[in-house]
Structure formats: C-alpha cells, structure tokens
C-alpha cells in the first residue's frame, strides 16, 4: 500500500479539527487505566510509558477501535445502516470493563451532538445508530461525511489517542513537556505502521490482547484518589 497521502486543504483542516485535543468530547478526562498503572508502579518513567503505548499499538484494544472506525466510515459511505448498527453493538460488547465502555459511549454521544450542530446533514444517519453510540462509530461517520482519506483519518485517530495518553502521563508520572513531545515523535513510525496494518485487517482478524488494560481499568474504578474520570 502506498504510504503517500494526498489531501486537499479542506480535508486536512477537517481531520485536524476532528482529531484536535480541543474538540469538546471529553477525551482529556480519561486515562484508560494509566492512572492506576502509575500508582502501582507499573509505569514510572518515560521508557515504561513508551513500552506500554507500543504494546497497545501492536496488540491492544486501540487496534479494534480503529478498525471499527474504518468500518463505520465504509458503512456510512454506502450507506449500510445495518452494518453501522452491527459494528456499534459489536464494539460495545468488545469493551472489557464498564469504565472503558462508558468512556466510549460518552465521547461518542458528545461527538454526535457536536456534529449535529455543525453538520445537520449527519443527524439522520446518526439517529439510525441510536444511543449509545461509540466514539469510533461517530468518528467514522464524520470522516465519511467530510470525505476524508481513510488512511489519513486512521493516522489522526491513532495520533489523537497517543497524544491523550501521553498528556495523561505527563501529568501523572510526571514527565516534562519536552519528554512528552519526544515520545510522541518517537512513536510516529509505529503509528504509521499500525495504521497500514489495521487497514488490511479482515473482519475475522479483529482480536487483541489487552488484559493488562482491562485489569488496570477495573482497579481504577475503585482507586482512592483520581485525577481522571472513572
């Protein structure tokens, strides 16, 4: 697959807006178990965080989310409402903990509400999915509506995920801002490779090994002091 991505100015600006940390969907309020991992010492420095993020990109649940986002975009373009609803239910069932499921639903609901105000044409297709709507599904609907190149959208989705967790790590470990930016830069080749791999995944290849994330998320729900939402 060619790694070159061609985008018009409009498409580039649209995906930058969709993946921006300033998008008011509440992504900044979640740490995906990272807060618990820092408290118990599993992640204590820059190297630990880098290794954790690498493992998640190679084997973790983010790959499922991103793959479903791609399928949401494809179903919206056709449109195939039945597939869109099925993948939304599938992703809800694939979330291992209540916390992870609730965060996906909350961010999805917030993004759908925002898109409905920005682009009223999206409302009918969004209504067919119903509530709850997972964040990856809502993201894919927006990507299809704005006709954004799917490889660029996938890179933006993964980059946004990594940026959010690195920002959480900067606060929790703590790390310096420069160390956080260096880590994000170091992850670029892996983000690109993961995007290409995810694009090639067939439906029967959607699997992950994320028991570490699951355990951390379950423990985070009862963590005594928390900066991030549980």
């Amino acid at each position: 697959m060619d790694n070159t991505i061609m985008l018009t100015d409009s498409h580039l600006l649209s995906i930058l807006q969709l993946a921006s940390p300033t998008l008011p969907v509440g992504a900044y309020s979640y740490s995906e178990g990272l807060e618990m991992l820092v408290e118990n010492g599993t992640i204590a420095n820059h190297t630990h965080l880098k290794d954790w993020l690498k493992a998640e990109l190679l084997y973790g649940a983010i790959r499922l989310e991103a793959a479903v986002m791609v399928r949401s975009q494809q179903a919206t373009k056709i449109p195939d409402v039945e597939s869109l609803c099925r993948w939304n239910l599938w992703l809800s069932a694939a979330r291992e903990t209540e916390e992870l499921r609730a965060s996906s639903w909350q961010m999805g609901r917030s993004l759908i509400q925002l898109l409905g105000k920005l682009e009223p044409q999206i409302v009918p297709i969004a209504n067919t999915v119903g509530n709850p709507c997972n964040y990856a599904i809502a993201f894919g609907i927006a990507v299809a509506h704005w006709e954004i190149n799917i490889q660029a959208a996938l890179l933006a989705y993964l980059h946004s995920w990594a940026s959010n967790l690195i920002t959480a790590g900067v606060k929790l470990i703590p790390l310096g801002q420069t160390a956080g930016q260096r880590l994000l830069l170091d992850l670029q080749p892996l983000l690109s490779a993961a995007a290409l791999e995810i694009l090639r995944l067939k439906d029967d290849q959607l699997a992950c090994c994320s028991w570490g994330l699951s355990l951390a998320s379950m423990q985070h729900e009862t963590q005594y002091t928390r900066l991030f939402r549980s």
Side-chain angles (χ1 to χ4, degrees):
M1 184 178 293
D2 188 357
N3 289 348
T4 302
I5 302 173
M6 302 299 293
L7 293 174
T8 65
D9 287 352
S10 175
H11 290 154
L12 175 59
L13 291 172
S14 293
I15 195 58
L16 287 174
Q17 181 176 359
L18 189 58
S20 171
T22 64
L23 196 74
V25 295
Y28 67 89
S29 62
Y30 298 103
S31 74
E32 294 193 18
L34 192 63
E35 189 163 22
M36 187 66 233
L37 294 168
V38 172
E39 177 165 302
N40 66 24
T42 301
I43 294 178
N45 54 46
H46 172 276
T47 301
H48 292 166
L49 180 58
K50 184 176 181 179
D51 289 344
W52 176 266
L53 294 175
K54 280 186 173 181
E56 285 297 299
L57 284 168
L58 289 171
Y59 312 111
I62 183 60
R63 294 172 66 88
L64 294 186
E65 281 187 46
V68 170
M69 187 279 289
V70 173
R71 284 154 176 77
S72 171
Q73 181 262 0
Q74 294 168 342
T76 303
K77 281 183 66 176
I78 294 174
D80 183 347
V81 173
E82 183 179 345
S83 290
L84 196 62
C85 293
R86 184 176 70 251
W87 283 114
N88 185 52
L89 291 172
W90 186 92
L91 187 56
S92 293
R95 305 308 298 190
E96 298 97 329
T97 71
E98 183 179 359
E99 178 181 74
L100 294 173
R101 186 181 302 112
S103 68
S104 181
W105 287 350
Q106 181 272 302
M107 289 171 58
R109 180 173 62 252
S110 296
L111 181 54
I112 286 294
Q113 290 174 349
L114 175 63
L115 292 172
K117 294 175 182 176
L118 297 177
E119 300 282 2
Q121 307 95 310
I122 287 180
V123 172
I125 189 72
N127 285 343
T128 64
V129 179
N131 185 38
C133 176
N134 286 283
Y135 178 65
I137 296 292
F139 197 101
I141 291 173
V143 168
H145 180 76
W146 284 328
E147 299 181 340
I148 300 167
N149 175 281
I150 190 56
Q151 188 177 343
L154 187 50
L155 273 172
Y157 190 90
L158 294 174
H159 187 275
S160 178
W161 166 84
S163 298
N164 184 61
L165 290 188
I166 289 172
T167 299
V170 167
K171 297 175 182 177
L172 292 166
I173 294 174
L175 297 176
Q177 295 289 343
T178 301
Q181 290 301 309
R182 183 181 296 114
L183 175 52
L184 189 57
L185 188 63
D186 289 344
L187 285 176
Q188 282 187 4
L190 188 55
L191 290 169
S192 296
L196 291 175
E197 289 177 8
I198 292 166
L199 280 174
R200 297 188 185 106
L201 290 175
K202 306 298 183 183
D203 290 354
D204 60 2
Q205 294 176 310
L206 298 188
C208 68
C209 180
S210 56
W211 55 268
L213 169 62
S214 303
L215 291 173
S217 175
M218 286 186 280
Q219 292 174 53
H220 185 245
E221 294 175 359
T222 57
Q223 189 173 340
Y224 182 68
T225 57
R226 298 187 297 273
L227 291 176
F228 291 88
R229 190 171 177 177
S230 65

